[in-house]
Amino acid sequence: MGSPQGSTLTTNMAGLVDGSSARAEVSFIDSLPVYVKELIAGGAAGAFAKTIIAPLERIKILLQTRTDGFQSLGVYQSLRKVLKHEGVMGFYKGNGASVIRIIPYAALHFMTYEQYRGWMLDNYSFLGSGPVVDLLAGSASGGTAVLCTYPLDLARAKLAYQVGDTRSKFGSGMKSLYPRPAYSGVTDVLTRVYRDGGIRGLYRGVGPTLAGILPYAGLKFYIYEEIKTRVPEEHRKSIVMNLSCGALAGLLGQTFTYPLDVVRRQMQVGTLQCSTIQGDARYGNTYEGLTSIVRNQGWRQLFAGLSINYIKIVPSVAVGFAAYDMMKVWLRIPPRQKLQAESSG
């Protein structure tokens, strides 16, 4: 009974009882700067939310860009067609690029929102501490995140736009059903786009993206924070309540900015589109894209895929906000009021 193994076991048990292991964990987490914790929380929340809605995101892009064979299909029929030709993994085509993009995007989005918000409260007190600050901080953080991660979003759109019959040709890789380039992965997309168009090629469609994300991100944070202020204090940490507030925020914000998202997608995949889209998809700017789509494809095309976006945006934004708030608690990020008081002091 007095063996070294027994002594080691006794020591380890004693460490667990007196909380030394827990204190080591506490000291490590607490030693991280607040902005690092916010980056971790935002990245984890974004990756979790994006993976959940990946199949719906793939179908939405196919409907938005009027891909061959999908123009007249609904959401359910599109899901069945992708499953038939590409199997279950077809739903996640482009999701690797999406997750790679969303981790830095969401991390920067949430972290810079908190930083911009604190900076505005410290330096522009005349703005108050209410909706105006949330609107401006949300818009600025959305723009910052987009500029830093846009090439990855471009790669995701191009990969998701491809439709190949992978079930019939297991041994020979992806066999494209249509006469368009078949990219093998994220690196291949970025390399070929850069070779053909340089930096401007990697940022093709960033104009409508920024035009859409600035109001959307601002509205999303504004609506979420505004709704939470109207929730009784004892219910504000409820997961269900956070999910509900996030879903409503994403739903309303997306409705007002969706046409810009359609223009962005068509600009991103313009070089892949053949004769399936009426008119030239190589728009010079956002306004030209909007007017050209209305003239050649009809105003309804500006809202193509909106129904699936509603289905997608509810769990995506809801899970994103709820997961972020949960990660903040787990990482022991101080409440905003305490951070503001510390920075003022």
Side-chain angles (χ1 to χ4, degrees):
M1 296 298 291
S3 65
Q5 291 87 346
S7 300
T8 302
L9 178 60
T10 304
T11 303
N12 291 338
M13 290 299 294
L16 291 174
V17 171
D18 66 17
S20 59
S21 299
R23 284 199 297 272
E25 180 187 355
V26 169
S27 63
F28 171 74
I29 293 177
D30 292 342
S31 67
L32 296 174
V34 172
Y35 74 89
V36 173
K37 295 181 182 181
E38 291 167 349
L39 283 170
I40 295 172
F48 184 58
K50 184 61 69 176
T51 301
I52 287 178
I53 52 85
L56 296 175
E57 177 71 12
R58 173 84 199 283
I59 299 303
K60 188 198 75 169
I61 291 178
L62 292 174
L63 293 177
Q64 279 184 329
T65 54
R66 297 170 65 87
T67 305
D68 293 334
F70 288 85
Q71 298 98 321
S72 60
L73 298 183
V75 174
Y76 178 69
Q77 291 86 353
S78 297
L79 288 168
R80 289 190 61 185
K81 185 165 187 174
V82 170
L83 181 63
K84 177 182 177 181
H85 288 289
E86 303 180 52
V88 174
M89 294 308 297
F91 293 132
Y92 293 90
K93 181 178 289 184
N95 189 56
S98 182
V99 171
I100 291 172
R101 165 191 167 269
I102 203 63
I103 290 176
Y105 175 85
L108 286 169
H109 196 12
F110 282 105
M111 186 275 288
T112 54
Y113 166 74
E114 302 285 2
Q115 297 298 315
Y116 283 139
R117 189 178 187 278
W119 177 72
M120 290 179 187
L121 291 174
D122 290 340
N123 297 278
Y124 298 94
S125 56
F126 64 89
L127 293 174
S129 59
V132 175
V133 172
D134 292 320
L135 192 66
L136 294 176
S139 296
S141 65
T144 300
V146 163
L147 289 175
C148 292
T149 62
Y150 186 79
L152 292 172
D153 185 52
L154 180 74
R156 176 178 69 96
K158 288 183 178 294
L159 289 172
Y161 180 70
Q162 299 178 142
V163 180
D165 197 339
T166 56
R167 284 196 159 186
S168 61
K169 298 288 183 179
F170 287 110
S172 59
M174 195 192 78
K175 180 178 180 295
S176 180
L177 294 175
Y178 310 104
R180 61 171 65 93
Y183 297 108
S184 61
V186 179
T187 303
D188 185 38
V189 174
L190 296 178
T191 301
R192 291 169 61 178
V193 170
Y194 180 76
R195 184 177 63 234
D196 295 338
I199 295 296
R200 293 187 65 178
L202 290 175
Y203 279 87
R204 179 176 178 80
V206 74
T209 301
L210 286 173
I213 199 63
L214 293 178
Y216 171 65
L219 285 171
K220 182 176 68 173
F221 277 102
Y222 159 65
I223 295 172
Y224 181 70
E225 297 295 341
E226 183 66 18
I227 294 175
K228 284 183 66 177
T229 61
R230 302 178 184 278
V231 175
E233 186 69 33
E234 61 271 20
H235 297 300
R236 289 185 184 178
K237 292 185 179 180
S238 166
I239 296 177
V240 174
M241 186 57 64
N242 288 335
L243 286 170
S244 301
C245 294
L248 187 57
L251 194 66
L252 295 177
Q254 189 69 29
T255 301
F256 294 112
T257 60
Y258 189 78
L260 296 171
D261 190 46
V262 174
V263 175
R264 171 171 67 105
R265 291 302 183 198
Q266 291 202 10
M267 290 181 73
Q268 285 179 332
V269 302
T271 56
L272 299 179
Q273 293 167 325
C274 302
S275 59
T276 57
I277 290 189
Q278 299 174 348
D280 187 2
R282 300 190 179 189
Y283 313 124
N285 53 57
T286 305
Y287 177 74
E288 181 184 339
L290 288 169
T291 55
S292 179
I293 289 174
V294 172
R295 182 174 60 253
N296 297 314
Q297 303 170 36
W299 67 268
R300 292 179 182 275
Q301 182 60 28
L302 291 176
F303 297 93
L306 181 57
S307 60
I308 194 172
N309 214 49
Y310 281 147
I311 299 173
K312 183 200 79 167
I313 209 67
V314 170
S316 176
V317 179
V319 171
F321 272 121
Y324 178 65
D325 283 342
M326 289 179 63
M327 287 295 295
K328 286 172 66 177
V329 173
W330 183 73
L331 292 170
R332 293 186 283 277
I333 298 176
R336 289 172 182 160
Q337 296 83 350
K338 182 177 179 181
L339 287 174
Q340 187 180 355
E342 290 176 354
S343 61
S344 299

